[in-house]
Amino acid sequence: MKRQNLRTAALILCIFSYLLVGAAVFDALESEAESGRKRLLEQKRGELRRKYRFSADDYRELERLVLQAEPHRAGRQWKFAGSFYFAITVITTIGYGHAAPGTDAGKVFCMFYAILGIPLTLVMFQSLGERMNTVVRLLLKKIKKCLGMRTTNVSMENMVLVGFLSCMGTLCIGAAAFSYFEGWTFFHAYYYCFITLTTIGFGDFVALQKNEALQKKPPYVAFSFMYILVGLTVIGAFLNLVVLRFLTMNSEDERRDAEERASLRRARNNVHLKPKEDSRSSNAIFLPAEDRTSQMNLIPLIQEDAERQRRQSAHSAAAVPSFCTCLCYRPQLCGSPVPSHPETLSCHTNPVYYNSISYKIDEVSLSTRGQTGSSPGSTLSSTSARCRQHPRLRRKSI
């Protein structure tokens, strides 16, 4: 998390620094030229007003008419070809501004159309870019095989180089075509292609806006549409290769941080559990059990009970047993004498003393009991007639 916060803060600082540098450079480059153009326009306006005796209001009205008539120089913008051109500029976020909906219904539809079309277009271009990168990688691998190179693996540097050359080639082809059809210089045509394919779309240079090209030049219109879509795919492939690699660094860091937190949590739990396990292993009593029974874990008597037993052992010669003796499942059926000392058969039933008792129920007879024997403190007689006559389930407990 700390690494991601540092990267985010560094990116914010870098962007603001980049903006400040850009503002300073554009100010130095464009400010004086803007002032010169403004003085020139004011001079021309004064000459026109003096020549044709325009008032200020008349000049503003004439200016408004010229601006509104500018889009119609290319013919009718809202026929099918012009509408298709406008739809491309909407969903690709180019937004030249050469045409805009004039009705309220058209503006409402444009908003909903963009809400659905822009994400769909971005996903489509990203998917096409991934497929294109896959095809280029396979072609490079085959080319390396044909050339007999030792390593045919395609590195990231190879892909970046191919992507960069593809972008430059696409821009140059478009610049050559638009400089021919639009009468622009190669530099201005290249500038138009770059602004279009990066979806900046200033609108200072817009194709298909001269001599009613939308209606009179269908091949050129088709070429312009296909160039925009294919060029955006090439640029999207290059951005998917370079930019998205850096965008995935945050997700990789988040996964790495999550794994580190999980490992630290496990280590902390192990540290907390280790003393408990050590104390349990040093204090617990494990007794082996017979077949089909689990191992018995007996917690020792607490300190107060141990002191009480020591006091009782001072007044009694008999040893006080710590465990329950073998008892019949129905002790009333066996005619066992009552012990003279109650403590000789004392069984701690308080769950404080035993955390788990594992037992099994066996159908045993008197002979089986004779083989297993009785516990040291047991008072059951092995010759009891009633015990012989009533074989039953007997619980062997500790």
Side-chain angles (χ1 to χ4, degrees), residues 306-328:
E307 294 176 357
R308 182 176 59 82
Q309 283 197 0
R310 283 197 296 271
R311 288 197 300 269
Q312 289 179 357
S313 62
H315 297 85
S316 176
V320 180
S322 299
F323 312 108
C324 292
T325 58
C326 294
L327 300 175
C328 291

Side-chain angles (χ1 to χ4, degrees), residues 102 149 235 253:
M149 300 180 69
I235 298 296
D253 289 340

Side-chain angles (χ1 to χ4, degrees), residues 332-350:
Q332 65 270 20
L333 296 179
C334 297
S336 302
V338 179
S340 58
H341 299 286
E343 60 271 12
T344 58
L345 283 177
S346 63
C347 297
H348 297 289
T349 60
N350 194 330

